[in-house]
Amino acid sequence: MFTQSSPSRHTFLAGIAILGATLLLAAAPLLAVAGTVPAGFVAHFTKVNGVRLHYLIGGKGSPVALLHGYTQTGYMWCPLMKSLAKHHTVIVPDLRGAGGSSKPESGYDKKNMAVDIHELISLLGFDRVSIVGHDIGLMVAYAYAAQFPQATERVVLMDAFLPGIGNWKEVWLMRDLWHFHFYGKVPLALVKGRERIYFEHFWNDFAADPKHSVPEADRRIYAKTYAQPGGMRAGFEYFRNFEQDAKDFEQFGKSRLSMPVLVLTGEKASGNFLIEQTKLVASNVNGVVVSGSGHWLMEEAPNTVIPAIIDFLNRADDQLRP
C-alpha cells in the first residue's frame, strides 16, 4: 500500500540524512585507517591552542606522547602502540596540519606546535609526560622539553636534525634536501593531484632500500590524507618555519635539558649528526645509530627500534646515564 509521507516526516528524514552526512565528513580522517588502529585505543578530537587536534589514546600508566613526522600521521606508530600500552598511557596526536587535525593558516613553528601538545597533555590530566618524536615530530618534542622541562619525563628523538643547533645549516642547505625550500603557490600547484608522486621522493630516496621502506598500504593512506584540502600547504609550512625554529632553538639551547634523552638515527640517514647536535643541548644523551637503516626507522628497523624505545621508557632512572 502506498502511504503519503507527512511534511514532518520529510523534515525528520532530511535531518537524519544531513546528520549522517555530517558525521561521515567528520569521521573521514578516521575512515581511512578503519580497522587498523590497535585494539584498546580510542579516537578523539579536542580544541587546544586555537587548533582542533585528532588523537588516539589507550593503555594505562605513565603517559607517553608519540609525535609523527612529515608525509605521515599518528598512524605510523601503530606497530609500537600496543606493546607500549602495556605499561603506559599512550597518546598519539596528528600534529597541527596533518591527518585528522585541522589545518590553520599559521602556527607551524615548532615552539607553537609544542604548545599544542602541552595543552593536550594538560587537558588529559597529566602533569608529566615522556615525548617520542620522529622527523618533524622530533623538533616538536625538543621544543616541548625545552619549554616545559618540569613537565617532561624523558625524550626520544628519531632521525632528522635540530634547526639552529651547531652546524645545522650543513643539513638545511644540502642540495639533496631541496624540499626544505619547496613551498609557496607554484610548488602547491605542481603537487596538486600528484601528492603520491611527490611523497615517493621521501619514501624511496631517504630509505636504505626503497623496497623495505614505508609499506604500500601506508603510502596510499598518507597520500590520501595529505591530499585533503589544506594538507599539502600545511605540510609545506613545517619547512617554511625552519628559520624561525632556528632562532627559537638557539635560545632554547642556552639551557641544557637535564632529563634522559634517547637519540635513534639511521646509519644511511642522519647518522651521528643528530646525536652530536643533541649533546650540545642536553646533558644525559644516549645515542644509537641503527645499522643498515635509512630515515624510516619504524618501518625499516622495527625489531631494533621498538625494543629500544620500550626499554628506554621502562628502565629505572639510575640506569639511563650515557
Side-chain angles (χ1 to χ4, degrees):
M1 181 191 304
F2 175 78
T3 303
Q4 186 173 3
S5 299
S6 67
S8 60
R9 179 176 172 80
H10 278 302
T11 302
F12 173 76
L13 292 175
I16 291 295
I18 293 170
L19 176 61
T22 302
L23 290 174
L24 283 173
L25 288 172
L30 306 181
L31 294 177
V33 296
T36 59
V37 174
F41 281 81
V42 180
H44 296 279
F45 290 90
T46 192
K47 187 75 171 290
V48 292
N49 194 29
V51 67
R52 184 173 183 256
L53 291 187
H54 166 247
Y55 67 97
L56 302 173
I57 186 168
K60 184 181 296 185
S62 58
V64 178
L66 306 177
L67 309 182
H68 66 85
Y70 184 56
T71 79
Q72 297 184 300
T73 68
Y75 172 69
M76 68 161 283
W77 299 111
C78 283
L80 170 64
M81 289 160 59
K82 187 174 180 179
S83 297
L84 200 57
K86 292 178 182 178
H87 301 288
H88 300 277
T89 300
V90 182
I91 305 155
V92 188
D94 289 337
L95 296 175
R96 169 187 295 249
S101 294
S102 62
K103 299 160 181 62
E105 291 294 324
S106 61
Y108 295 93
D109 59 280
K110 312 313 173 290
K111 179 179 179 180
N112 185 61
M113 292 174 70
V115 174
D116 294 346
I117 306 304
H118 183 256
E119 289 196 9
L120 171 62
I121 300 302
S122 299
L123 187 66
L124 293 173
F126 297 108
D127 297 325
R128 288 173 63 82
V129 67
S130 293
I131 302 283
V132 181
H134 174 253
D135 188 76
I136 294 297
L138 85 79
M139 300 176 191
V140 180
Y142 171 66
Y144 188 108
Q147 290 180 93
F148 312 108
Q150 300 305 314
T152 309
E153 190 75 33
R154 299 178 186 184
V155 181
V156 181
L157 306 179
M158 296 172 59
D159 207 87
F161 75 108
L162 294 171
I165 304 301
N167 296 324
W168 73 282
K169 288 186 177 180
E170 292 182 5
V171 175
W172 185 53
L173 297 176
M174 283 181 65
R175 181 183 62 186
D176 292 345
L177 301 182
W178 51 267
H179 60 275
F180 288 162
H181 315 278
F182 187 74
Y183 47 76
K185 291 184 178 180
V186 172
L188 279 174
L190 290 173
V191 301
K192 183 175 177 59
R194 307 178 183 89
E195 295 84 5
R196 172 67 186 263
I197 296 172
Y198 175 62
F199 283 168
E200 291 291 333
H201 158 63
F202 298 87
W203 296 328
N204 294 338
D205 296 350
F206 297 164
D209 180 354
K211 296 179 180 179
H212 295 89
S213 178
V214 177
E216 172 60 27
D218 295 3
R219 295 183 184 210
R220 290 197 296 267
I221 289 171
Y222 297 141
K224 182 177 180 180
T225 299
Y226 277 86
Q228 295 178 85
M232 294 303 293
R233 175 194 53 77
F236 288 168
E237 288 298 312
Y238 298 150
F239 303 137
R240 188 197 295 270
N241 278 272
F242 277 177
E243 289 183 84
Q244 181 59 50
D245 297 332
K247 296 176 183 177
D248 293 335
F249 285 20
E250 184 178 7
Q251 291 300 312
F252 291 158
K254 294 178 180 179
S255 299
R256 295 171 68 83
L257 302 181
S258 60
M259 74 288 293
V261 180
L262 172 64
V263 183
L264 297 170
T265 67
E267 178 190 13
K268 307 297 184 180
S270 60
N272 281 308
F273 188 84
L274 178 62
I275 296 173
E276 295 306 315
Q277 273 193 309
T278 306
K279 289 179 179 178
L280 296 175
V281 298
S283 301
N284 185 354
V285 179
N286 293 268
V288 178
V289 178
V290 180
S291 178
S293 181
H295 177 66
W296 309 103
L297 293 169
M298 283 291 297
E299 293 80 8
E300 296 183 66
N303 293 336
T304 298
V305 172
I306 291 176
I309 294 172
I310 292 174
D311 178 68
F312 175 75
L313 295 174
N314 290 346
R315 200 182 291 187
D317 288 345
D318 60 3
Q319 297 177 344
L320 290 174
R321 299 302 305 176

